[in-house]
Amino acid sequence: MTRPAPRQRQRGSKDLWLDAAYEMLISEGIEAVKIMPLAKRLNLTRTGFYWFFKDLAELHAAMIERWQNRNTDALVAQCEKPADSLCAALFHVMDCWLDPALFDGRLDLAIRNWARNDAALLARVTAADSRRIEAVRDLFLRHGFAPEQAQVRALTVMLTQIGYSSMDITEPRAERLARVQHYVELFAGTPPTPEEAAEFLARHAPA
């Protein structure tokens, strides 16, 4: 097995620095995301940072870009997945709230807190929210709802689920899963079939 060169070990990788920056953002806020604290956390040299980022501003830009891709793009993709019924389509959306790879709620809250003191980021968060709501609205439109109803239902979906993050709600995973079919029934106005609910639960069963 080939060992990485000593210089590579001292530098780390771009993803390694980004991951550490995210963890620091989530746990301590954007004010804590500095080069030296990151280097200490990673047990790497400060100069290693500059192999991947010109400065802290470039790291911030990369963090925002990754958030955009991880949360907004993934959620929109879930809304656009083919589905035979409205309930099945909504279960695809609800996958986001159970799978951090599709939507990282802690990261979303941290980005919103950061945006309180950053006007440019606030504009991006506002645009992301609009895109997310539009994607859910279009889902309802495809299943026959009038525009006003589709918009209100989309807002209900997004505000309810984002509330889990903003209110820092924690609950056992099994309890959250059990509630999902009731959320879907509320959003859709009709209950999912047992088969649709079972398919959703199977996707989130322990490996």
PDB file of all heavy atoms in Angstrom, residues 122-143:
ATOM      1  N   LEU A 122     -27.683  36.420   2.946  1.00  0.00           N
ATOM      2  CA  LEU A 122     -29.130  36.466   3.181  1.00  0.00           C
ATOM      3  C   LEU A 122     -29.890  36.450   1.854  1.00  0.00           C
ATOM      4  O   LEU A 122     -30.924  35.779   1.731  1.00  0.00           O
ATOM      5  CB  LEU A 122     -29.494  37.708   3.986  1.00  0.00           C
ATOM      6  CG  LEU A 122     -30.980  37.897   4.292  1.00  0.00           C
ATOM      7  CD1 LEU A 122     -31.527  36.720   5.088  1.00  0.00           C
ATOM      8  CD2 LEU A 122     -31.199  39.208   5.044  1.00  0.00           C
ATOM      9  N   ALA A 123     -29.370  37.167   0.867  1.00  0.00           N
ATOM     10  CA  ALA A 123     -30.015  37.172  -0.451  1.00  0.00           C
ATOM     11  C   ALA A 123     -29.993  35.780  -1.066  1.00  0.00           C
ATOM     12  O   ALA A 123     -30.971  35.351  -1.693  1.00  0.00           O
ATOM     13  CB  ALA A 123     -29.313  38.166  -1.371  1.00  0.00           C
ATOM     14  N   ARG A 124     -28.898  35.035  -0.872  1.00  0.00           N
ATOM     15  CA  ARG A 124     -28.817  33.680  -1.404  1.00  0.00           C
ATOM     16  C   ARG A 124     -29.750  32.737  -0.654  1.00  0.00           C
ATOM     17  O   ARG A 124     -30.357  31.845  -1.258  1.00  0.00           O
ATOM     18  CB  ARG A 124     -27.383  33.175  -1.342  1.00  0.00           C
ATOM     19  CG  ARG A 124     -26.453  33.907  -2.291  1.00  0.00           C
ATOM     20  CD  ARG A 124     -25.122  33.223  -2.450  1.00  0.00           C
ATOM     21  NE  ARG A 124     -25.236  31.930  -3.115  1.00  0.00           N
ATOM     22  CZ  ARG A 124     -24.176  31.252  -3.552  1.00  0.00           C
ATOM     23  NH1 ARG A 124     -22.958  31.739  -3.393  1.00  0.00           N
ATOM     24  NH2 ARG A 124     -24.343  30.076  -4.137  1.00  0.00           N
ATOM     25  N   VAL A 125     -29.863  32.918   0.648  1.00  0.00           N
ATOM     26  CA  VAL A 125     -30.787  32.088   1.426  1.00  0.00           C
ATOM     27  C   VAL A 125     -32.224  32.357   0.980  1.00  0.00           C
ATOM     28  O   VAL A 125     -33.024  31.419   0.813  1.00  0.00           O
ATOM     29  CB  VAL A 125     -30.623  32.363   2.929  1.00  0.00           C
ATOM     30  CG1 VAL A 125     -31.751  31.715   3.728  1.00  0.00           C
ATOM     31  CG2 VAL A 125     -29.273  31.844   3.424  1.00  0.00           C
ATOM     32  N   THR A 126     -32.567  33.622   0.778  1.00  0.00           N
ATOM     33  CA  THR A 126     -33.913  33.981   0.326  1.00  0.00           C
ATOM     34  C   THR A 126     -34.201  33.364  -1.037  1.00  0.00           C
ATOM     35  O   THR A 126     -35.291  32.829  -1.276  1.00  0.00           O
ATOM     36  CB  THR A 126     -34.055  35.508   0.261  1.00  0.00           C
ATOM     37  OG1 THR A 126     -33.818  36.062   1.564  1.00  0.00           O
ATOM     38  CG2 THR A 126     -35.444  35.910  -0.209  1.00  0.00           C
ATOM     39  N   ALA A 127     -33.212  33.427  -1.933  1.00  0.00           N
ATOM     40  CA  ALA A 127     -33.387  32.830  -3.257  1.00  0.00           C
ATOM     41  C   ALA A 127     -33.522  31.313  -3.166  1.00  0.00           C
ATOM     42  O   ALA A 127     -34.338  30.703  -3.875  1.00  0.00           O
ATOM     43  CB  ALA A 127     -32.206  33.195  -4.150  1.00  0.00           C
ATOM     44  N   ALA A 128     -32.755  30.694  -2.254  1.00  0.00           N
ATOM     45  CA  ALA A 128     -32.850  29.237  -2.070  1.00  0.00           C
ATOM     46  C   ALA A 128     -34.219  28.853  -1.539  1.00  0.00           C
ATOM     47  O   ALA A 128     -34.824  27.866  -1.996  1.00  0.00           O
ATOM     48  CB  ALA A 128     -31.756  28.766  -1.118  1.00  0.00           C
ATOM     49  N   ASP A 129     -34.734  29.629  -0.587  1.00  0.00           N
ATOM     50  CA  ASP A 129     -36.062  29.341  -0.050  1.00  0.00           C
ATOM     51  C   ASP A 129     -37.122  29.429  -1.148  1.00  0.00           C
ATOM     52  O   ASP A 129     -38.024  28.583  -1.232  1.00  0.00           O
ATOM     53  CB  ASP A 129     -36.402  30.317   1.075  1.00  0.00           C
ATOM     54  CG  ASP A 129     -35.699  29.987   2.378  1.00  0.00           C
ATOM     55  OD1 ASP A 129     -35.287  28.821   2.554  1.00  0.00           O
ATOM     56  OD2 ASP A 129     -35.572  30.887   3.231  1.00  0.00           O
ATOM     57  N   SER A 130     -37.012  30.448  -1.982  1.00  0.00           N
ATOM     58  CA  SER A 130     -37.978  30.597  -3.077  1.00  0.00           C
ATOM     59  C   SER A 130     -37.915  29.416  -4.033  1.00  0.00           C
ATOM     60  O   SER A 130     -38.949  28.892  -4.463  1.00  0.00           O
ATOM     61  CB  SER A 130     -37.699  31.900  -3.838  1.00  0.00           C
ATOM     62  OG  SER A 130     -37.918  33.024  -3.020  1.00  0.00           O
ATOM     63  N   ARG A 131     -36.692  28.979  -4.339  1.00  0.00           N
ATOM     64  CA  ARG A 131     -36.537  27.842  -5.258  1.00  0.00           C
ATOM     65  C   ARG A 131     -37.099  26.564  -4.651  1.00  0.00           C
ATOM     66  O   ARG A 131     -37.742  25.764  -5.341  1.00  0.00           O
ATOM     67  CB  ARG A 131     -35.056  27.672  -5.591  1.00  0.00           C
ATOM     68  CG  ARG A 131     -34.800  26.638  -6.658  1.00  0.00           C
ATOM     69  CD  ARG A 131     -33.349  26.617  -7.067  1.00  0.00           C
ATOM     70  NE  ARG A 131     -33.072  25.446  -7.904  1.00  0.00           N
ATOM     71  CZ  ARG A 131     -32.015  24.680  -7.803  1.00  0.00           C
ATOM     72  NH1 ARG A 131     -31.086  24.954  -6.892  1.00  0.00           N
ATOM     73  NH2 ARG A 131     -31.845  23.639  -8.595  1.00  0.00           N
ATOM     74  N   ARG A 132     -36.873  26.358  -3.365  1.00  0.00           N
ATOM     75  CA  ARG A 132     -37.391  25.165  -2.700  1.00  0.00           C
ATOM     76  C   ARG A 132     -38.918  25.169  -2.698  1.00  0.00           C
ATOM     77  O   ARG A 132     -39.560  24.157  -3.000  1.00  0.00           O
ATOM     78  CB  ARG A 132     -36.875  25.099  -1.263  1.00  0.00           C
ATOM     79  CG  ARG A 132     -35.375  24.937  -1.132  1.00  0.00           C
ATOM     80  CD  ARG A 132     -34.934  25.098   0.316  1.00  0.00           C
ATOM     81  NE  ARG A 132     -33.477  25.140   0.458  1.00  0.00           N
ATOM     82  CZ  ARG A 132     -32.849  25.232   1.618  1.00  0.00           C
ATOM     83  NH1 ARG A 132     -33.542  25.294   2.751  1.00  0.00           N
ATOM     84  NH2 ARG A 132     -31.538  25.260   1.669  1.00  0.00           N
ATOM     85  N   ILE A 133     -39.499  26.295  -2.323  1.00  0.00           N
ATOM     86  CA  ILE A 133     -40.961  26.398  -2.271  1.00  0.00           C
ATOM     87  C   ILE A 133     -41.554  26.206  -3.664  1.00  0.00           C
ATOM     88  O   ILE A 133     -42.572  25.520  -3.830  1.00  0.00           O
ATOM     89  CB  ILE A 133     -41.384  27.743  -1.657  1.00  0.00           C
ATOM     90  CG1 ILE A 133     -40.999  27.783  -0.172  1.00  0.00           C
ATOM     91  CG2 ILE A 133     -42.887  27.975  -1.817  1.00  0.00           C
ATOM     92  CD1 ILE A 133     -41.081  29.162   0.449  1.00  0.00           C
ATOM     93  N   GLU A 134     -40.923  26.796  -4.673  1.00  0.00           N
ATOM     94  CA  GLU A 134     -41.415  26.631  -6.044  1.00  0.00           C
ATOM     95  C   GLU A 134     -41.376  25.168  -6.477  1.00  0.00           C
ATOM     96  O   GLU A 134     -42.291  24.689  -7.157  1.00  0.00           O
ATOM     97  CB  GLU A 134     -40.571  27.479  -6.998  1.00  0.00           C
ATOM     98  CG  GLU A 134     -40.851  28.976  -6.895  1.00  0.00           C
ATOM     99  CD  GLU A 134     -39.876  29.793  -7.717  1.00  0.00           C
ATOM    100  OE1 GLU A 134     -39.054  29.186  -8.450  1.00  0.00           O
ATOM    101  OE2 GLU A 134     -39.927  31.032  -7.615  1.00  0.00           O
ATOM    102  N   ALA A 135     -40.335  24.449  -6.076  1.00  0.00           N
ATOM    103  CA  ALA A 135     -40.231  23.039  -6.457  1.00  0.00           C
ATOM    104  C   ALA A 135     -41.352  22.219  -5.832  1.00  0.00           C
ATOM    105  O   ALA A 135     -41.953  21.350  -6.491  1.00  0.00           O
ATOM    106  CB  ALA A 135     -38.869  22.483  -6.034  1.00  0.00           C
ATOM    107  N   VAL A 136     -41.669  22.497  -4.557  1.00  0.00           N
ATOM    108  CA  VAL A 136     -42.768  21.774  -3.904  1.00  0.00           C
ATOM    109  C   VAL A 136     -44.104  22.219  -4.489  1.00  0.00           C
ATOM    110  O   VAL A 136     -45.003  21.393  -4.711  1.00  0.00           O
ATOM    111  CB  VAL A 136     -42.731  21.995  -2.378  1.00  0.00           C
ATOM    112  CG1 VAL A 136     -43.852  21.196  -1.705  1.00  0.00           C
ATOM    113  CG2 VAL A 136     -41.388  21.571  -1.793  1.00  0.00           C
ATOM    114  N   ARG A 137     -44.238  23.507  -4.768  1.00  0.00           N
ATOM    115  CA  ARG A 137     -45.469  23.998  -5.396  1.00  0.00           C
ATOM    116  C   ARG A 137     -45.704  23.314  -6.735  1.00  0.00           C
ATOM    117  O   ARG A 137     -46.825  22.878  -7.048  1.00  0.00           O
ATOM    118  CB  ARG A 137     -45.360  25.512  -5.612  1.00  0.00           C
ATOM    119  CG  ARG A 137     -46.592  26.135  -6.286  1.00  0.00           C
ATOM    120  CD  ARG A 137     -46.225  27.417  -6.995  1.00  0.00           C
ATOM    121  NE  ARG A 137     -45.272  27.163  -8.081  1.00  0.00           N
ATOM    122  CZ  ARG A 137     -44.593  28.126  -8.689  1.00  0.00           C
ATOM    123  NH1 ARG A 137     -44.703  29.390  -8.312  1.00  0.00           N
ATOM    124  NH2 ARG A 137     -43.760  27.814  -9.679  1.00  0.00           N
ATOM    125  N   ASP A 138     -44.650  23.192  -7.539  1.00  0.00           N
ATOM    126  CA  ASP A 138     -44.799  22.560  -8.849  1.00  0.00           C
ATOM    127  C   ASP A 138     -45.204  21.094  -8.711  1.00  0.00           C
ATOM    128  O   ASP A 138     -45.925  20.560  -9.570  1.00  0.00           O
ATOM    129  CB  ASP A 138     -43.485  22.664  -9.632  1.00  0.00           C
ATOM    130  CG  ASP A 138     -43.195  24.100 -10.078  1.00  0.00           C
ATOM    131  OD1 ASP A 138     -44.093  24.949  -9.973  1.00  0.00           O
ATOM    132  OD2 ASP A 138     -42.052  24.359 -10.510  1.00  0.00           O
ATOM    133  N   LEU A 139     -44.757  20.452  -7.656  1.00  0.00           N
ATOM    134  CA  LEU A 139     -45.165  19.073  -7.382  1.00  0.00           C
ATOM    135  C   LEU A 139     -46.691  19.000  -7.225  1.00  0.00           C
ATOM    136  O   LEU A 139     -47.352  18.138  -7.814  1.00  0.00           O
ATOM    137  CB  LEU A 139     -44.456  18.574  -6.127  1.00  0.00           C
ATOM    138  CG  LEU A 139     -44.671  17.142  -5.629  1.00  0.00           C
ATOM    139  CD1 LEU A 139     -43.489  16.716  -4.779  1.00  0.00           C
ATOM    140  CD2 LEU A 139     -45.948  17.014  -4.805  1.00  0.00           C
ATOM    141  N   PHE A 140     -47.247  19.933  -6.437  1.00  0.00           N
ATOM    142  CA  PHE A 140     -48.704  19.951  -6.257  1.00  0.00           C
ATOM    143  C   PHE A 140     -49.424  20.319  -7.549  1.00  0.00           C
ATOM    144  O   PHE A 140     -50.500  19.775  -7.842  1.00  0.00           O
ATOM    145  CB  PHE A 140     -49.079  20.925  -5.138  1.00  0.00           C
ATOM    146  CG  PHE A 140     -48.833  20.396  -3.756  1.00  0.00           C
ATOM    147  CD1 PHE A 140     -47.766  20.848  -2.998  1.00  0.00           C
ATOM    148  CD2 PHE A 140     -49.664  19.435  -3.197  1.00  0.00           C
ATOM    149  CE1 PHE A 140     -47.524  20.356  -1.715  1.00  0.00           C
ATOM    150  CE2 PHE A 140     -49.444  18.936  -1.922  1.00  0.00           C
ATOM    151  CZ  PHE A 140     -48.366  19.402  -1.180  1.00  0.00           C
ATOM    152  N   LEU A 141     -48.841  21.230  -8.319  1.00  0.00           N
ATOM    153  CA  LEU A 141     -49.460  21.602  -9.592  1.00  0.00           C
ATOM    154  C   LEU A 141     -49.547  20.401 -10.526  1.00  0.00           C
ATOM    155  O   LEU A 141     -50.565  20.203 -11.211  1.00  0.00           O
ATOM    156  CB  LEU A 141     -48.657  22.724 -10.258  1.00  0.00           C
ATOM    157  CG  LEU A 141     -48.744  24.112  -9.620  1.00  0.00           C
ATOM    158  CD1 LEU A 141     -47.763  25.071 -10.298  1.00  0.00           C
ATOM    159  CD2 LEU A 141     -50.167  24.663  -9.699  1.00  0.00           C
ATOM    160  N   ARG A 142     -48.488  19.600 -10.545  1.00  0.00           N
ATOM    161  CA  ARG A 142     -48.481  18.414 -11.421  1.00  0.00           C
ATOM    162  C   ARG A 142     -49.564  17.417 -11.027  1.00  0.00           C
ATOM    163  O   ARG A 142     -49.989  16.606 -11.847  1.00  0.00           O
ATOM    164  CB  ARG A 142     -47.108  17.720 -11.376  1.00  0.00           C
ATOM    165  CG  ARG A 142     -45.997  18.498 -12.039  1.00  0.00           C
ATOM    166  CD  ARG A 142     -44.779  17.611 -12.302  1.00  0.00           C
ATOM    167  NE  ARG A 142     -44.207  17.046 -11.096  1.00  0.00           N
ATOM    168  CZ  ARG A 142     -43.295  17.653 -10.337  1.00  0.00           C
ATOM    169  NH1 ARG A 142     -42.893  18.886 -10.637  1.00  0.00           N
ATOM    170  NH2 ARG A 142     -42.800  17.058  -9.271  1.00  0.00           N
ATOM    171  N   HIS A 143     -49.991  17.482  -9.779  1.00  0.00           N
ATOM    172  CA  HIS A 143     -51.013  16.536  -9.315  1.00  0.00           C
ATOM    173  C   HIS A 143     -52.389  17.180  -9.205  1.00  0.00           C
ATOM    174  O   HIS A 143     -53.242  16.720  -8.444  1.00  0.00           O
ATOM    175  CB  HIS A 143     -50.572  15.918  -7.990  1.00  0.00           C
ATOM    176  CG  HIS A 143     -49.436  14.937  -8.157  1.00  0.00           C
ATOM    177  ND1 HIS A 143     -49.635  13.607  -8.457  1.00  0.00           N
ATOM    178  CD2 HIS A 143     -48.094  15.114  -8.107  1.00  0.00           C
ATOM    179  CE1 HIS A 143     -48.461  13.004  -8.564  1.00  0.00           C
ATOM    180  NE2 HIS A 143     -47.513  13.886  -8.356  1.00  0.00           N
TER     181      HIS A 143
END
